[in-house]
Amino acid sequence: MAAFVLALVVSGPPDKWAWTTALLVVGAVAGLSRPPAIGSIRVSVSGIVQIAAIPLVGPVGAALVAAVPGLVRRSSPVKDLFNTAQRVLLVLAGAAAYGLVGGAQLTSSPSTNAWVLWLHMMVAALVAALANTVLLAGVLQLSSAGSLRVITADLLRQVIPDYASYLVAGYLLTILWAPAGLGWMSIFFFLPSLLVIQWGLHQHASEWATRHDMLTPFVAALDIRRPGAAEEARLASGAAHAVATGLGLSPALVDRIATAARLRDVGMLALDGAAPAIVRRDHSLAAREVVGSVTFLGPTLDLVDGHHERVDGQGHPLGLVGGEIPLGARVLAVADTWAHLRAEGWSPRDAVDHCEAVVGQSLDESCVAGLRRALERDQLPQVTS
């Protein structure tokens, strides 16, 4: 509220209330539904509109537009208050940066220099992304007592790409709105494109979910033969996702590693009745006999193959050493160790301590460090049964 009042005193209310009202309506509509997601990839119309609002309606108008999604999307009061305040602050920070580099509120004039506008909006988006990162990092650090530097670095890898996409789409909306002279009518050109993109993402997300659902029967069958296997697979998948995300890996690779964690033991189905020593030695490669015909799992099974390799070269099946082991397999090995200990009754912290004790022998140092960060941020899954 203090920042909003300061912006109101310095820059005054929006000059174009018709434009502000139109953006408020778009922001409200965008806030009614969650952005479509594929794994950790999201597309937010609200973020796009907020970046575009900075040059179109000024700091105060942009702050009002930023506040709308928090008012229409109801959750817990504390969460609503934080999300609304966060959006207002990051937009005001971006608007301040936009003004400091010479950016002006636009009018319906074709004389606007498109390249200068791009540079000004790029600065605004970058500062907004940094403000978003600082606010989130502060809350995460206070709630987890983790390293602020590490948390901030992890968040930057996630936030910057999001705001890069907001900048591109917001810039196009701004060009249509002001220099092209379409005003609020540009929404009718802009929103259909976003709706098509979101529809495509929803379709892709549905296919992504269907692929994951296909794997459930294999894990369920293993759980029938080996009670507790499904719970351990859930723990391993959650830990693998947290570690891989913390390492800044791409969303596609994070998903592949988490899927490999679910399937890492299904090869035991092909070795039912074999001696325990043979099951332990061969189950990673035997996974191909169980799910190898599922074509999209090829890269995933490559990670399953190597999750019993050791960084000291004493693992199997190939005896790879250190960096010779694919990074995804090293992450999977850490998640597998942690999940197995948790399933046996170890506390989350004791399980992480054990993983740190075998760094350089069976487990990779950077991956175990990622596990520790995930523990500090309370991102590791809890035992449910």
Side-chain angles (χ1 to χ4, degrees):
M1 289 300 298
F4 180 80
V5 171
L6 179 62
L8 186 61
V9 171
V10 172
S11 64
D15 294 333
K16 299 182 180 299
W17 280 105
W19 287 13
T20 304
T21 302
L23 287 170
L24 287 170
V25 171
V26 176
V29 172
L32 291 175
S33 61
R34 292 183 61 82
I38 306 172
S40 58
I41 304 175
R42 292 185 184 275
V43 174
S44 170
V45 177
S46 297
I48 295 169
V49 174
Q50 289 160 23
I51 295 298
I54 293 174
L56 290 175
V57 294
V60 174
L64 293 173
V65 172
V68 166
L71 300 177
V72 299
R73 184 187 297 164
R74 291 294 181 183
S75 56
S76 68
V78 172
K79 186 175 181 180
D80 287 337
L81 180 61
F82 173 77
N83 287 337
T84 301
Q86 177 196 30
R87 292 189 183 98
V88 169
L89 285 172
L90 66 90
V91 165
L92 288 177
Y98 179 80
L100 287 173
V101 296
Q105 188 173 337
L106 300 181
T107 60
S108 298
S109 171
S111 62
T112 301
N113 187 310
W115 286 110
V116 172
L117 175 62
W118 167 259
L119 291 175
H120 291 166
M121 290 187 67
M122 182 173 63
V123 171
L126 177 60
V127 171
L130 293 175
N132 193 4
T133 300
V134 169
L135 291 169
L136 286 174
V139 170
L140 287 172
Q141 198 277 333
L142 288 172
S143 62
S144 67
S147 165
L148 182 61
R149 180 185 61 81
V150 172
I151 293 173
T152 302
D154 288 346
L155 284 173
L156 278 174
R157 287 194 290 265
Q158 301 172 46
V159 169
I160 294 298
D162 289 344
Y163 275 82
S165 65
Y166 300 163
L167 169 62
V168 173
Y171 174 74
L172 294 176
L173 174 58
T174 303
I175 288 292
L176 289 173
W177 194 298
L182 296 180
W184 62 269
M185 287 293 294
S186 60
I187 296 172
F188 294 101
F189 293 90
F190 184 75
L191 282 186
S193 300
L194 281 180
L195 291 175
V196 169
I197 292 171
Q198 290 201 341
W199 176 83
L201 286 172
H202 277 298
Q203 297 302 310
H204 193 36
S206 177
E207 179 185 351
W208 178 84
T210 300
R211 286 187 171 193
H212 279 258
D213 290 343
M214 287 175 57
L215 309 180
T216 301
F218 297 106
V219 179
L222 180 62
D223 194 59
I224 293 173
R225 299 288 183 86
R226 296 174 178 270
E231 170 69 0
E232 191 171 327
R234 185 188 65 81
L235 292 170
S237 182
H241 188 281
V243 173
T245 301
L247 291 175
L249 304 183
S250 69
L253 183 52
V254 170
D255 180 60
R256 192 180 308 152
I257 294 170
T259 302
R262 289 184 65 195
L263 297 176
R264 73 202 193 290
D265 287 342
V266 296
M268 293 180 180
L269 292 171
L271 299 172
D272 191 44
I278 294 177
V279 173
R280 286 193 299 270
R281 185 192 66 193
D282 295 343
H283 73 272
S284 57
L285 293 178
R288 293 184 181 273
E289 297 182 33
V290 180
V291 293
S293 60
V294 183
T295 55
F296 69 83
L297 287 177
T300 300
L301 291 176
D302 291 340
L303 302 182
V304 175
D305 290 345
H307 81 280
H308 280 305
E309 299 286 358
R310 293 166 52 105
V311 295
D312 62 5
Q314 301 302 308
H316 57 83
L318 300 177
L320 301 178
V321 178
E324 295 177 353
I325 306 170
L327 178 57
R330 283 179 271 155
V331 172
L332 181 53
V334 170
D336 176 57
T337 302
W338 182 86
H340 183 68
L341 294 174
R342 290 289 287 123
E344 288 190 341
W346 291 46
S347 72
R349 190 166 297 277
D350 287 344
V352 173
D353 289 344
H354 172 80
C355 291
E356 289 179 333
V358 294
V359 163
Q361 301 172 35
S362 59
L363 300 181
D364 176 78
E365 181 178 10
S366 63
C367 296
V368 174
L371 182 70
R372 171 64 69 180
R373 290 195 297 272
L375 173 70
E376 293 173 349
R377 295 198 292 262
D378 196 26
Q379 294 176 335
L380 296 176
Q382 299 296 318
V383 172
T384 59
S385 61

